Amino acid sequence: MPIEIENLNHTYKEGTPFARQALFNISLRIDDGEFIGLIGPSQSGKSTLSQYFNALFIPKSGRVFIDGKDTADRKTDLVQIRFEVGYVFQNPEHQLFKTTVGEDIAFGPTRQKCSPEEIEERIREAMELVGLDYETFFERDIFALSGGQKKRAAIAGVLACRPKVLILDGITAGLDPRGRKEILNVVKKLHQEKKITVILISHSMDDVARLVDRIITMDQGKIVDDGPTRKVLSRVDRLQQIGLEPPQVIEIMQQLREKGFTVPTGVLNIKEAVSEIVKMLNTPGGEQSWN
Amino acid sequence: MEYLIEFKEATYTYKSSFVDPVQALKQIDLRVKRGEFLAIIGPNGSGKSTLARHFNGLLTPTTGEVLIRGISTASSDPEQLKAIRRQVGMVFQNPDNQLISSIVEEDVAFGPENLGVPPKEIRRRVNHALAALNIFKYRRESISHLSEGQKQLVAIAGVLAMKPDCIVLDEPTALLDPFGRRQVLESLKKLNREEGIAVVFITHFMSEAVHFKRVAVMDQGEIKSDGPPDDIFTRTALLKAAGLDIPVSAQLAEELKGKGFPMAPGILHVEELVNSLCQLKSKI
């Protein structure tokens, strides 16, 4: 189910002295099976925009089509859209509200009027996908979960609705490097095996560099860049201008270039950087002349 | 010499009626001197936050003791506890949990007001704290209009206005964007350098820990290693065992060393890597 946005504007507290426009004339299209990183500094409009992706916001100015259906059309089944486009919020505590993990994950499919057998099957599948052991965690109290486990439980609750699109807002914030890797591996698996369209909203350039195919960069309510990961991340000046830091490997390549070495800046991981640096060291000369 | 903060064989066990007791701290011996700039790193669940809450007596050790300028945090004298909380200030991950007034300068004034500081002195301290953190121009703003990074600076200013000897920050940058993270880190460097305030900074981000003069690694309730960053971050086996990242520049240097290139020892920062590569290239 593709998502199409046309000339979208959003203003908070419209018509009051506190009105603040958060989105300016946004147009974009997200196709099935894409893996997208949505990046930008705080308050750039990322979360506002993504709440249009599953019709939590309905446009007053501009249009949003999800699977070809206009979300502002009264005949569109918004509840169905929200089941199909799952949203995982930054703070899992805003999302988990039942007492136990099992009850929480069951909530979505129960609303979808699934049979008890179907609900049971979906809970098992969702818990397995996020790596929470069914026997251990099904009856576990939400309060007895660690930060990383809560995030997994929140994702499982959304997966149990069998979404076609998954929006993940800051899911790695507050997790340690190991927890981050584990949760991102879960996301990668969902994209590859379940063919779910994933939109990853993140502050971590290293995370998006490692995973996504396409990056949309936002600043002050506008889209300032949109393209393949390698291309967007290698535009170091543009990222720094809006207060983002390129992945460190790219910063290293950039500084080497400033010292006059001929290396490409578009590297996405340590392996690629090492191979480029070795190539540079083994090339006789290799330095551009300064004068 | 007298230490500012001293952990002596401190342990802490969480007891709850739901789950078995969990020993979160095991035999912690840690000493912090005046003006130190210390980062504590460790994976989730390693005991970092439990440790942080011991620095000013929010938690007291189950066995062993924690001394702040020689006074035990388990002291039953309320005056002494008050002194401890004034000397060691705390900043938490989410500034919304810590900010209580609606206007910036009112929030910063809250601490000194409660210490019974005279109004003129409060005014002076608030202005000083706001200026030191570069948020003086927002003093009359509503806190809800600030970015998360700015809110965290207000929380730090609130602690600074109590004139602490040490500020303990428990993952203060975890929810911030890169710009906010940089602002907080730069402000702390300045407070440490210009005001001589000791900083204890708990983080997951190795890229932040490399800026500190001393780094302690926690894992499974113990301090596994404690020393200058160039020493800590070259112990790759220890960091990997704790599930932590090695700084990217150090990883690259290590990989290049493995391929037979004579890289300079102890590379942590991008500049150091680039300089080492420049030297190498000029010799080839």
Side-chain angles (χ1 to χ4, degrees), chain A residues 41-42 90 173-178 180-181 203 243 245 248-249 252 255-256 259 261 270 273-274 277-278 280-283 285 287, chain B residues 43-44 174-179 182 204 207 241-243 245 248-249 251-252 255-256 259 261 270-271 273-275 277-278 281 284:
Chain A
S42 302
Q90 170 156 333
L175 295 186
D176 64 5
R178 184 186 285 157
R180 213 150 64 213
K181 254 174 240 156
H203 282 150
E245 281 167 357
Q248 273 201 13
V249 279
I252 290 165
Q255 289 209 12
L256 284 170
K259 297 271 181 190
F261 295 107
I270 292 194
V274 168
I277 291 173
V278 168
M280 169 201 95
L281 288 171
N282 287 336
T283 314
E287 281 175 63
Chain B
N44 287 118
L175 303 176
L176 307 185
D177 68 1
F179 181 69
R182 218 160 35 228
H204 284 146
S207 51
D245 273 345
V248 172
S249 301
Q251 271 184 62
L252 264 173
E255 293 262 338
L256 289 167
K259 296 200 183 289
F261 294 101
V270 174
E271 293 73 27
L273 178 73
V274 170
N275 285 340
L277 284 170
C278 285
K281 186 71 189 171
I284 294 175

Short mmCIF file of all heavy atoms in Angstrom, two decimals, chain A residues 41-42 90 173-178 180-181 203 243 245 248-249 252 255-256 259 261 270 273-274 277-278 280-283 285 287, chain B residues 43-44 174-179 182 204 207 241-243 245 248-249 251-252 255-256 259 261 270-271 273-275 277-278 281 284:
data_model
loop_
_atom_site.label_atom_id
_atom_site.label_comp_id
_atom_site.label_asym_id
_atom_site.label_seq_id
_atom_site.Cartn_x
_atom_site.Cartn_y
_atom_site.Cartn_z
N PRO A 41 16.76 17.30 12.61
CA PRO A 41 16.91 17.68 14.02
C PRO A 41 15.56 17.64 14.74
O PRO A 41 14.52 17.51 14.10
CB PRO A 41 17.45 19.11 13.94
CG PRO A 41 17.15 19.59 12.58
CD PRO A 41 17.07 18.40 11.68
N SER A 42 15.57 17.79 16.08
CA SER A 42 14.33 17.85 16.85
C SER A 42 13.45 18.96 16.28
O SER A 42 13.97 20.00 15.87
CB SER A 42 14.61 18.18 18.30
OG SER A 42 15.46 17.24 18.85
N GLN A 90 8.36 6.54 20.23
CA GLN A 90 9.67 6.56 20.87
C GLN A 90 9.63 6.00 22.28
O GLN A 90 10.48 5.20 22.66
CB GLN A 90 10.19 8.00 20.92
CG GLN A 90 11.42 8.15 21.76
CD GLN A 90 12.24 9.35 21.37
OE1 GLN A 90 12.22 9.80 20.23
NE2 GLN A 90 12.99 9.88 22.30
N ALA A 173 16.54 4.99 20.75
CA ALA A 173 16.92 5.99 21.76
C ALA A 173 16.93 5.36 23.15
O ALA A 173 16.01 4.65 23.53
CB ALA A 173 15.94 7.16 21.73
N GLY A 174 18.01 5.59 23.88
CA GLY A 174 18.10 5.08 25.25
C GLY A 174 18.57 3.64 25.35
O GLY A 174 18.73 3.13 26.44
N LEU A 175 18.80 2.97 24.20
CA LEU A 175 19.29 1.60 24.27
C LEU A 175 20.81 1.58 24.14
O LEU A 175 21.39 2.44 23.49
CB LEU A 175 18.70 0.75 23.14
CG LEU A 175 17.18 0.51 23.16
CD1 LEU A 175 16.80 -0.46 22.06
CD2 LEU A 175 16.76 -0.04 24.51
N ASP A 176 21.44 0.58 24.74
CA ASP A 176 22.89 0.47 24.63
C ASP A 176 23.25 -0.13 23.26
O ASP A 176 22.37 -0.59 22.53
CB ASP A 176 23.47 -0.33 25.79
CG ASP A 176 22.99 -1.77 25.80
OD1 ASP A 176 22.29 -2.17 24.86
OD2 ASP A 176 23.32 -2.48 26.75
N PRO A 177 24.53 -0.12 22.89
CA PRO A 177 24.91 -0.59 21.55
C PRO A 177 24.41 -2.01 21.24
O PRO A 177 23.94 -2.27 20.13
CB PRO A 177 26.43 -0.54 21.57
CG PRO A 177 26.75 0.53 22.55
CD PRO A 177 25.68 0.46 23.60
N ARG A 178 24.46 -2.88 22.23
CA ARG A 178 24.01 -4.25 21.96
C ARG A 178 22.49 -4.29 21.72
O ARG A 178 22.02 -4.87 20.76
CB ARG A 178 24.38 -5.17 23.13
CG ARG A 178 24.03 -6.62 22.88
CD ARG A 178 24.29 -7.46 24.12
NE ARG A 178 25.72 -7.67 24.32
CZ ARG A 178 26.26 -7.97 25.51
NH1 ARG A 178 25.50 -8.07 26.58
NH2 ARG A 178 27.56 -8.17 25.62
N ARG A 180 20.68 -1.90 20.74
CA ARG A 180 20.41 -1.21 19.48
C ARG A 180 20.58 -2.17 18.31
O ARG A 180 19.73 -2.26 17.43
CB ARG A 180 21.39 -0.06 19.36
CG ARG A 180 20.84 1.12 18.66
CD ARG A 180 21.46 2.41 19.14
NE ARG A 180 22.87 2.51 18.87
CZ ARG A 180 23.72 3.15 19.66
NH1 ARG A 180 23.29 3.70 20.76
NH2 ARG A 180 24.98 3.21 19.36
N LYS A 181 21.69 -2.90 18.32
CA LYS A 181 21.95 -3.84 17.23
C LYS A 181 20.86 -4.90 17.17
O LYS A 181 20.37 -5.24 16.09
CB LYS A 181 23.31 -4.52 17.46
CG LYS A 181 24.38 -3.99 16.51
CD LYS A 181 25.74 -4.56 16.84
CE LYS A 181 26.70 -3.43 17.18
NZ LYS A 181 27.83 -3.84 18.01
N HIS A 203 17.68 9.69 15.04
CA HIS A 203 18.72 10.71 15.18
C HIS A 203 20.08 10.11 14.89
O HIS A 203 21.06 10.83 14.80
CB HIS A 203 18.76 11.24 16.62
CG HIS A 203 17.68 12.21 16.92
ND1 HIS A 203 17.16 12.35 18.17
CD2 HIS A 203 17.04 13.08 16.13
CE1 HIS A 203 16.23 13.29 18.14
NE2 HIS A 203 16.14 13.74 16.91
N GLY A 243 22.48 20.82 11.54
CA GLY A 243 22.79 20.35 12.89
C GLY A 243 22.85 18.83 13.01
O GLY A 243 22.82 18.31 14.11
N GLU A 245 24.94 15.16 12.32
CA GLU A 245 26.31 14.73 12.13
C GLU A 245 26.32 13.56 11.16
O GLU A 245 25.57 12.62 11.34
CB GLU A 245 26.90 14.25 13.46
CG GLU A 245 27.31 15.41 14.33
CD GLU A 245 27.58 14.98 15.76
OE1 GLU A 245 27.39 13.80 16.08
OE2 GLU A 245 27.97 15.85 16.54
N GLN A 248 30.43 8.69 11.36
CA GLN A 248 31.86 9.01 11.55
C GLN A 248 32.74 8.56 10.40
O GLN A 248 33.71 9.22 10.06
CB GLN A 248 32.34 8.41 12.87
CG GLN A 248 32.10 9.36 14.02
CD GLN A 248 32.97 9.06 15.20
OE1 GLN A 248 33.94 8.30 15.13
NE2 GLN A 248 32.64 9.64 16.33
N VAL A 249 32.40 7.41 9.78
CA VAL A 249 33.24 6.95 8.66
C VAL A 249 33.26 7.99 7.54
O VAL A 249 34.29 8.22 6.91
CB VAL A 249 32.79 5.58 8.10
CG1 VAL A 249 33.32 4.45 8.95
CG2 VAL A 249 31.31 5.48 7.91
N ILE A 252 35.47 10.92 8.50
CA ILE A 252 36.89 10.59 8.31
C ILE A 252 37.29 10.76 6.84
O ILE A 252 38.30 11.39 6.53
CB ILE A 252 37.17 9.14 8.79
CG1 ILE A 252 37.06 9.08 10.33
CG2 ILE A 252 38.54 8.66 8.33
CD1 ILE A 252 36.95 7.68 10.89
N GLN A 255 37.52 14.41 5.95
CA GLN A 255 38.74 15.09 6.43
C GLN A 255 39.96 14.67 5.62
O GLN A 255 40.86 15.48 5.39
CB GLN A 255 38.96 14.78 7.91
CG GLN A 255 37.93 15.46 8.78
CD GLN A 255 38.46 15.77 10.17
OE1 GLN A 255 39.66 15.69 10.43
NE2 GLN A 255 37.57 16.13 11.06
N LEU A 256 39.99 13.41 5.19
CA LEU A 256 41.10 12.96 4.36
C LEU A 256 41.10 13.73 3.03
O LEU A 256 42.14 14.13 2.52
CB LEU A 256 41.02 11.45 4.10
CG LEU A 256 41.44 10.56 5.26
CD1 LEU A 256 41.09 9.10 4.97
CD2 LEU A 256 42.93 10.69 5.56
N LYS A 259 42.56 17.03 3.39
CA LYS A 259 44.03 17.00 3.44
C LYS A 259 44.61 16.72 2.05
O LYS A 259 45.81 16.54 1.91
CB LYS A 259 44.51 15.91 4.41
CG LYS A 259 44.09 16.16 5.84
CD LYS A 259 45.11 17.01 6.58
CE LYS A 259 44.63 17.20 8.01
NZ LYS A 259 45.41 18.17 8.74
N PHE A 261 43.76 14.05 -0.07
CA PHE A 261 43.77 12.67 -0.56
C PHE A 261 42.57 12.43 -1.47
O PHE A 261 41.49 12.97 -1.22
CB PHE A 261 43.71 11.69 0.60
CG PHE A 261 44.91 11.74 1.49
CD1 PHE A 261 44.83 12.31 2.75
CD2 PHE A 261 46.12 11.22 1.06
CE1 PHE A 261 45.94 12.36 3.57
CE2 PHE A 261 47.23 11.27 1.89
CZ PHE A 261 47.15 11.85 3.15
N ILE A 270 32.54 0.54 8.24
CA ILE A 270 33.98 0.48 8.47
C ILE A 270 34.68 -0.34 7.40
O ILE A 270 35.75 0.02 6.92
CB ILE A 270 34.23 -0.08 9.88
CG1 ILE A 270 33.73 0.96 10.88
CG2 ILE A 270 35.69 -0.42 10.10
CD1 ILE A 270 34.14 0.76 12.27
N ALA A 273 35.21 1.73 4.40
CA ALA A 273 36.21 2.78 4.66
C ALA A 273 37.61 2.19 4.64
O ALA A 273 38.54 2.76 4.04
CB ALA A 273 35.92 3.45 6.00
N VAL A 274 37.78 1.03 5.29
CA VAL A 274 39.11 0.40 5.34
C VAL A 274 39.57 0.09 3.92
O VAL A 274 40.70 0.39 3.54
CB VAL A 274 39.07 -0.90 6.19
CG1 VAL A 274 40.34 -1.71 6.00
CG2 VAL A 274 38.88 -0.56 7.66
N ILE A 277 40.69 3.25 2.22
CA ILE A 277 41.93 3.81 2.76
C ILE A 277 43.13 2.96 2.31
O ILE A 277 44.18 3.50 1.93
CB ILE A 277 41.86 3.92 4.30
CG1 ILE A 277 40.85 5.00 4.70
CG2 ILE A 277 43.23 4.25 4.89
CD1 ILE A 277 40.56 5.08 6.18
N VAL A 278 42.95 1.64 2.31
CA VAL A 278 44.03 0.75 1.86
C VAL A 278 44.37 1.06 0.41
O VAL A 278 45.53 1.18 0.02
CB VAL A 278 43.63 -0.73 2.05
CG1 VAL A 278 44.61 -1.65 1.31
CG2 VAL A 278 43.57 -1.09 3.53
N MET A 280 43.95 3.84 -1.12
CA MET A 280 44.63 5.13 -1.16
C MET A 280 46.10 5.00 -0.75
O MET A 280 47.00 5.54 -1.40
CB MET A 280 43.92 6.10 -0.24
CG MET A 280 44.66 7.39 0.00
SD MET A 280 44.08 8.17 1.51
CE MET A 280 45.25 7.60 2.69
N LEU A 281 46.35 4.22 0.33
CA LEU A 281 47.72 4.08 0.82
C LEU A 281 48.60 3.32 -0.19
O LEU A 281 49.80 3.56 -0.29
CB LEU A 281 47.73 3.34 2.17
CG LEU A 281 47.20 4.14 3.36
CD1 LEU A 281 47.04 3.25 4.58
CD2 LEU A 281 48.10 5.33 3.69
N ASN A 282 47.98 2.41 -0.93
CA ASN A 282 48.75 1.61 -1.88
C ASN A 282 48.96 2.27 -3.24
O ASN A 282 49.70 1.76 -4.06
CB ASN A 282 48.09 0.24 -2.07
CG ASN A 282 48.29 -0.64 -0.85
OD1 ASN A 282 49.24 -0.44 -0.09
ND2 ASN A 282 47.40 -1.59 -0.65
N THR A 283 48.24 3.39 -3.44
CA THR A 283 48.42 4.08 -4.72
C THR A 283 49.59 5.04 -4.60
O THR A 283 49.58 5.91 -3.73
CB THR A 283 47.15 4.89 -5.07
OG1 THR A 283 46.03 4.06 -4.83
CG2 THR A 283 47.15 5.33 -6.51
N GLY A 285 51.83 8.21 -4.99
CA GLY A 285 51.33 9.58 -5.16
C GLY A 285 49.99 9.67 -4.47
O GLY A 285 49.94 9.67 -3.25
N GLU A 287 48.08 11.78 -3.74
CA GLU A 287 47.72 13.09 -3.18
C GLU A 287 47.57 14.07 -4.32
O GLU A 287 48.35 14.08 -5.26
CB GLU A 287 48.82 13.60 -2.26
CG GLU A 287 48.80 12.96 -0.90
CD GLU A 287 49.98 13.41 -0.06
OE1 GLU A 287 50.05 14.61 0.22
OE2 GLU A 287 50.81 12.56 0.28
N PRO B 43 26.60 -1.29 29.50
CA PRO B 43 25.35 -1.63 28.81
C PRO B 43 24.13 -1.40 29.72
O PRO B 43 24.28 -1.15 30.91
CB PRO B 43 25.51 -3.12 28.50
CG PRO B 43 26.50 -3.62 29.48
CD PRO B 43 27.41 -2.48 29.77
N ASN B 44 22.92 -1.48 29.14
CA ASN B 44 21.68 -1.41 29.93
C ASN B 44 21.73 -2.50 30.99
O ASN B 44 22.15 -3.61 30.73
CB ASN B 44 20.45 -1.70 29.04
CG ASN B 44 20.14 -0.55 28.10
OD1 ASN B 44 20.18 -0.70 26.89
ND2 ASN B 44 19.85 0.61 28.65
N ALA B 174 20.56 10.93 26.04
CA ALA B 174 19.96 9.78 25.35
C ALA B 174 18.78 10.16 24.47
O ALA B 174 18.54 9.54 23.45
CB ALA B 174 19.53 8.73 26.37
N LEU B 175 18.03 11.21 24.86
CA LEU B 175 16.84 11.55 24.09
C LEU B 175 17.06 12.77 23.18
O LEU B 175 16.13 13.28 22.60
CB LEU B 175 15.66 11.83 25.04
CG LEU B 175 15.31 10.69 26.00
CD1 LEU B 175 14.21 11.11 26.95
CD2 LEU B 175 14.89 9.44 25.24
N LEU B 176 18.31 13.23 23.09
CA LEU B 176 18.57 14.47 22.34
C LEU B 176 19.04 14.19 20.92
O LEU B 176 19.56 13.12 20.63
CB LEU B 176 19.63 15.31 23.07
CG LEU B 176 19.38 15.61 24.54
CD1 LEU B 176 20.45 16.55 25.07
CD2 LEU B 176 18.01 16.23 24.75
N ASP B 177 18.86 15.18 20.05
CA ASP B 177 19.40 15.05 18.69
C ASP B 177 20.89 15.44 18.72
O ASP B 177 21.39 15.93 19.74
CB ASP B 177 18.59 15.87 17.69
CG ASP B 177 18.71 17.36 17.89
OD1 ASP B 177 19.44 17.79 18.81
OD2 ASP B 177 18.07 18.10 17.15
N PRO B 178 21.62 15.18 17.61
CA PRO B 178 23.08 15.41 17.67
C PRO B 178 23.45 16.82 18.11
O PRO B 178 24.41 17.02 18.86
CB PRO B 178 23.51 15.16 16.22
CG PRO B 178 22.49 14.24 15.66
CD PRO B 178 21.20 14.60 16.33
N PHE B 179 22.66 17.81 17.68
CA PHE B 179 22.97 19.19 18.04
C PHE B 179 22.81 19.40 19.54
O PHE B 179 23.67 19.98 20.21
CB PHE B 179 22.05 20.13 17.25
CG PHE B 179 22.31 21.58 17.52
CD1 PHE B 179 23.48 22.19 17.09
CD2 PHE B 179 21.39 22.33 18.24
CE1 PHE B 179 23.73 23.52 17.35
CE2 PHE B 179 21.63 23.67 18.51
CZ PHE B 179 22.80 24.25 18.06
N ARG B 182 25.64 17.83 21.46
CA ARG B 182 26.87 18.61 21.41
C ARG B 182 26.79 19.78 22.38
O ARG B 182 27.74 20.08 23.10
CB ARG B 182 27.09 19.09 19.98
CG ARG B 182 28.54 19.07 19.56
CD ARG B 182 28.74 19.08 18.06
NE ARG B 182 27.77 19.85 17.33
CZ ARG B 182 27.14 19.41 16.24
NH1 ARG B 182 27.35 18.18 15.80
NH2 ARG B 182 26.27 20.16 15.60
N HIS B 204 25.81 5.95 26.97
CA HIS B 204 26.00 4.79 26.10
C HIS B 204 26.87 5.15 24.92
O HIS B 204 27.28 4.29 24.17
CB HIS B 204 24.65 4.37 25.49
CG HIS B 204 23.77 3.67 26.44
ND1 HIS B 204 22.41 3.80 26.40
CD2 HIS B 204 24.04 2.82 27.43
CE1 HIS B 204 21.89 3.05 27.34
NE2 HIS B 204 22.85 2.46 27.98
N SER B 207 31.22 7.89 21.49
CA SER B 207 31.73 9.11 20.86
C SER B 207 31.71 10.26 21.87
O SER B 207 32.43 11.24 21.71
CB SER B 207 30.88 9.46 19.64
OG SER B 207 29.52 9.47 19.98
N ALA B 241 33.18 -7.60 25.33
CA ALA B 241 32.55 -8.51 26.29
C ALA B 241 31.37 -7.82 26.97
O ALA B 241 30.37 -8.45 27.30
CB ALA B 241 33.57 -8.97 27.32
N ALA B 242 31.48 -6.50 27.17
CA ALA B 242 30.40 -5.77 27.84
C ALA B 242 29.34 -5.32 26.82
O ALA B 242 28.41 -4.62 27.19
CB ALA B 242 30.97 -4.56 28.58
N GLY B 243 29.51 -5.71 25.54
CA GLY B 243 28.53 -5.33 24.52
C GLY B 243 28.58 -3.86 24.17
O GLY B 243 27.60 -3.29 23.74
N ASP B 245 30.37 -0.44 22.10
CA ASP B 245 31.02 -0.14 20.84
C ASP B 245 32.40 0.42 21.09
O ASP B 245 32.65 1.06 22.09
CB ASP B 245 30.22 0.94 20.09
CG ASP B 245 29.13 0.32 19.25
OD1 ASP B 245 29.18 -0.90 19.03
OD2 ASP B 245 28.24 1.07 18.83
N VAL B 248 34.67 4.64 16.36
CA VAL B 248 34.89 4.30 14.95
C VAL B 248 36.35 4.49 14.53
O VAL B 248 36.93 3.63 13.86
CB VAL B 248 33.95 5.15 14.06
CG1 VAL B 248 34.28 4.96 12.59
CG2 VAL B 248 32.50 4.75 14.33
N SER B 249 36.97 5.61 14.97
CA SER B 249 38.36 5.86 14.56
C SER B 249 39.29 4.77 15.11
O SER B 249 40.21 4.32 14.43
CB SER B 249 38.83 7.22 15.07
OG SER B 249 37.99 8.21 14.54
N GLN B 251 38.41 1.71 15.79
CA GLN B 251 38.14 0.48 15.03
C GLN B 251 38.87 0.48 13.70
O GLN B 251 39.48 -0.51 13.30
CB GLN B 251 36.64 0.36 14.74
CG GLN B 251 35.85 -0.34 15.80
CD GLN B 251 34.40 -0.47 15.37
OE1 GLN B 251 34.07 -1.11 14.39
NE2 GLN B 251 33.52 0.14 16.13
N LEU B 252 38.81 1.63 13.01
CA LEU B 252 39.48 1.74 11.71
C LEU B 252 40.99 1.55 11.88
O LEU B 252 41.63 0.84 11.10
CB LEU B 252 39.21 3.12 11.12
CG LEU B 252 38.06 3.20 10.12
CD1 LEU B 252 37.81 4.64 9.75
CD2 LEU B 252 38.41 2.42 8.86
N GLU B 255 41.80 -2.08 12.39
CA GLU B 255 41.69 -2.85 11.14
C GLU B 255 42.90 -2.61 10.24
O GLU B 255 43.42 -3.55 9.64
CB GLU B 255 40.43 -2.41 10.37
CG GLU B 255 39.14 -2.78 11.07
CD GLU B 255 38.53 -4.06 10.54
OE1 GLU B 255 38.86 -4.42 9.39
OE2 GLU B 255 37.75 -4.69 11.27
N LEU B 256 43.33 -1.34 10.18
CA LEU B 256 44.47 -1.01 9.31
C LEU B 256 45.75 -1.62 9.87
O LEU B 256 46.61 -2.09 9.12
CB LEU B 256 44.60 0.51 9.17
CG LEU B 256 43.50 1.16 8.31
CD1 LEU B 256 43.50 2.66 8.47
CD2 LEU B 256 43.64 0.79 6.84
N LYS B 259 46.07 -5.04 8.86
CA LYS B 259 46.50 -5.21 7.47
C LYS B 259 47.97 -4.84 7.30
O LYS B 259 48.45 -4.68 6.18
CB LYS B 259 45.63 -4.37 6.54
CG LYS B 259 44.18 -4.82 6.54
CD LYS B 259 43.45 -4.32 5.31
CE LYS B 259 41.98 -4.70 5.33
NZ LYS B 259 41.75 -6.14 5.12
N PHE B 261 49.62 -1.99 8.39
CA PHE B 261 50.03 -0.58 8.34
C PHE B 261 50.43 -0.11 9.73
O PHE B 261 49.70 -0.36 10.70
CB PHE B 261 48.89 0.30 7.80
CG PHE B 261 48.55 0.02 6.37
CD1 PHE B 261 47.45 -0.74 6.04
CD2 PHE B 261 49.36 0.51 5.34
CE1 PHE B 261 47.13 -1.01 4.72
CE2 PHE B 261 49.05 0.25 4.01
CZ PHE B 261 47.94 -0.52 3.70
N VAL B 270 38.80 11.41 15.29
CA VAL B 270 38.92 11.47 13.83
C VAL B 270 40.23 12.17 13.43
O VAL B 270 40.97 11.68 12.58
CB VAL B 270 37.71 12.24 13.24
CG1 VAL B 270 37.88 12.45 11.75
CG2 VAL B 270 36.42 11.48 13.52
N GLU B 271 40.53 13.30 14.11
CA GLU B 271 41.73 14.07 13.76
C GLU B 271 43.00 13.22 13.93
O GLU B 271 43.91 13.27 13.11
CB GLU B 271 41.87 15.32 14.64
CG GLU B 271 40.80 16.38 14.41
CD GLU B 271 39.44 15.97 14.99
OE1 GLU B 271 39.42 15.18 15.97
OE2 GLU B 271 38.41 16.42 14.46
N LEU B 273 43.31 9.97 13.73
CA LEU B 273 43.38 8.98 12.66
C LEU B 273 43.87 9.63 11.37
O LEU B 273 44.77 9.13 10.69
CB LEU B 273 42.01 8.34 12.44
CG LEU B 273 41.96 7.33 11.31
CD1 LEU B 273 42.66 6.04 11.72
CD2 LEU B 273 40.52 7.04 10.90
N VAL B 274 43.27 10.78 11.06
CA VAL B 274 43.62 11.46 9.81
C VAL B 274 45.10 11.87 9.84
O VAL B 274 45.82 11.67 8.87
CB VAL B 274 42.69 12.68 9.59
CG1 VAL B 274 43.18 13.55 8.45
CG2 VAL B 274 41.26 12.21 9.32
N ASN B 275 45.56 12.41 10.99
CA ASN B 275 46.98 12.80 11.10
C ASN B 275 47.90 11.61 10.93
O ASN B 275 48.93 11.69 10.25
CB ASN B 275 47.25 13.46 12.45
CG ASN B 275 46.68 14.87 12.48
OD1 ASN B 275 46.45 15.45 11.42
ND2 ASN B 275 46.43 15.39 13.67
N LEU B 277 47.33 8.91 9.31
CA LEU B 277 47.31 8.48 7.91
C LEU B 277 48.16 9.42 7.05
O LEU B 277 48.84 8.98 6.12
CB LEU B 277 45.88 8.43 7.39
CG LEU B 277 45.06 7.22 7.86
CD1 LEU B 277 43.61 7.39 7.49
CD2 LEU B 277 45.61 5.92 7.28
N CYS B 278 48.12 10.72 7.38
CA CYS B 278 48.92 11.69 6.62
C CYS B 278 50.40 11.39 6.77
O CYS B 278 51.16 11.38 5.79
CB CYS B 278 48.66 13.11 7.12
SG CYS B 278 47.08 13.75 6.58
N LYS B 281 51.30 8.27 4.86
CA LYS B 281 51.31 8.48 3.41
C LYS B 281 52.58 9.21 3.00
O LYS B 281 53.16 8.91 1.96
CB LYS B 281 50.07 9.30 3.02
CG LYS B 281 49.88 9.47 1.54
CD LYS B 281 49.47 8.17 0.88
CE LYS B 281 49.49 8.32 -0.64
NZ LYS B 281 49.30 7.04 -1.32
N ILE B 284 55.44 6.75 2.66
CA ILE B 284 55.41 5.74 1.60
C ILE B 284 56.00 6.30 0.31
O ILE B 284 55.66 7.40 -0.09
CB ILE B 284 53.94 5.25 1.35
CG1 ILE B 284 53.44 4.50 2.58
CG2 ILE B 284 53.87 4.34 0.14
CD1 ILE B 284 51.99 4.08 2.52
#
